[in-house]
Structure formats: C-alpha cells, structure tokens
Amino acid sequence: MRTALRNTKLTTGLTLLGAAGIATTALGGTAHAATTPPQTKPAAHATQAAADKDDKKADKKADDKAEKKDDKTEAKDGKSYPDNLDGWIREAKAIMDKHDIPGSYDSIKRNIIRESAGDPNAVNDWDVNAQKGTPSRGLLQVIQPTFDQYHVKGTPDKLTDPVANIVAACNYAADRYGTMDNVDSAY
C-alpha cells in the first residue's frame, strides 16, 4: 500500500516532506511513503543490548545538558553569564551599554537567528565575500576586516568569540545603519 505525503507550507515558505520527499520533489516527482511489512522480532539479547545502549545515550544527553546549564562565564564586569546564546547576548549588551553602542536584545537575537541560527562557529563559504577569500564567520556573520575595524577592546580578539562577534557587529551596524535595530536583512 502506498500513501502520498502532503506538502505542508510553513510561514517561511519551506516545504516539509522529509529527506526522501525533498529529493523526489526536487527531481519533479511526488513523494510517496511505502508501508513496510512487519518484521520479525529480534532475539531477546539483541533487544536488551539496544535498550541498554539507548539508556546510556539518554544518560549522557542528560549529563551534557546539566553541564551546559551550569556552564557560566564570568565577564570583566564581575557578573556571571550563561555560556549560551542568551548569556552571550546579555554580556554583549552590557559591554555595548558601557561603550554607547545601540542595539536591543531582540534585534540582536533576530539577526543572529537569521545569520547563523545561533552557531558561533558558522561559516558562510559561498557568498561574494567567501568567493573573494574572506568568508563571513560567527553568530552575526562578520568578515575579518570588518571585525578588525569594529572590534571593541576588552572583548577577545577572535572573530568567532560569541561576545566579541556580537559587539563588533553591533558597532558596525551602529556606524552604518544607526543601530542593529535597523537591520532586517543581510548587512
């Protein structure tokens, strides 16, 4: 028995089909899901081994999550910020306030999500900057020359450092557009 999958549009215009559906649709066909016949049950020892493996994975995931929750960095202002997107933005905002660099938490986060999906190690290796040998990097996809020009002393001198990347990008946006709040697309 074959069942056709329905294309579901999201507000962003993306189509949810699954990997096979995307590949099939990209080739001009329609995605179909085949019903597979029931399989025989695996031996009891194989089932137990798989369950044990799943338990170990779940335990490791929980431990990693707990560690990340406890990971905090102490900023130069003496405050402690979580080592995650929220903490990086809050620490950057504190530095920006000290240096009179405008930009709201919401606009910074919106631009980060659009530019890198929150990955501080994101690299754009396909745009015009990358083609010229200077790829955009970090949370706000900054190129090295721009980072060097707009870097704020007191933050790490490393393009992919989350806080330094945010502060330099917001400093650039303030110079070019008045504030990061005015940036709603690639900048």
Side-chain angles (χ1 to χ4, degrees):
M1 175 180 170
R2 300 184 102 182
T3 307
L5 293 177
R6 181 179 51 183
N7 292 346
T8 305
K9 293 283 186 176
L10 296 174
T11 57
T12 60
L14 298 176
T15 303
L16 289 178
L17 294 172
I22 291 170
T24 305
T25 302
L27 297 173
T30 303
H32 294 281
T35 306
T36 56
Q39 296 186 2
T40 58
K41 291 184 180 180
H45 68 279
T47 304
Q48 184 60 44
D52 290 345
K53 188 175 181 181
D54 288 343
D55 287 345
K56 285 180 184 177
K57 281 184 183 177
D59 289 344
K60 182 170 177 11
K61 239 182 195 177
D63 290 344
D64 289 348
K65 194 173 186 178
E67 280 180 29
K68 285 195 183 226
K69 236 181 198 177
D70 294 337
D71 285 349
K72 295 196 185 278
T73 57
E74 188 167 323
K76 291 188 177 192
D77 63 2
K79 292 183 181 176
S80 183
Y81 297 95
D83 191 18
N84 59 29
L85 184 57
D86 175 65
W88 300 329
I89 296 171
R90 289 186 6 220
E91 184 176 351
K93 282 283 299 150
I95 294 166
M96 290 165 56
D97 290 345
K98 183 178 173 184
H99 292 275
D100 295 322
I101 301 170
S104 68
Y105 180 99
D106 290 338
S107 69
I108 294 168
K109 186 171 183 180
R110 179 184 68 244
N111 281 286
I112 288 172
I113 297 303
R114 184 190 62 251
E115 293 291 334
S116 68
D119 179 2
N121 297 307
V123 178
N124 179 334
D125 59 1
W126 59 267
D127 73 356
V128 68
N129 292 315
Q131 290 171 7
K132 292 179 180 178
T134 312
S136 309
R137 297 178 187 274
L139 290 172
L140 283 164
Q141 293 296 283
V142 180
I143 60 174
Q144 190 68 53
T146 303
F147 179 81
D148 293 342
Q149 183 175 352
Y150 290 94
H151 174 254
V152 174
K153 289 184 181 181
T155 64
D157 194 14
K158 182 179 178 192
L159 178 59
T160 56
D161 177 84
V163 174
N165 188 276
I166 294 169
V167 176
C170 289
N171 195 17
Y172 166 77
D175 185 46
R176 178 105 187 219
Y177 306 105
T179 175
M180 184 61 84
D181 297 352
N182 295 331
V183 176
D184 290 315
S185 63
Y187 58 105

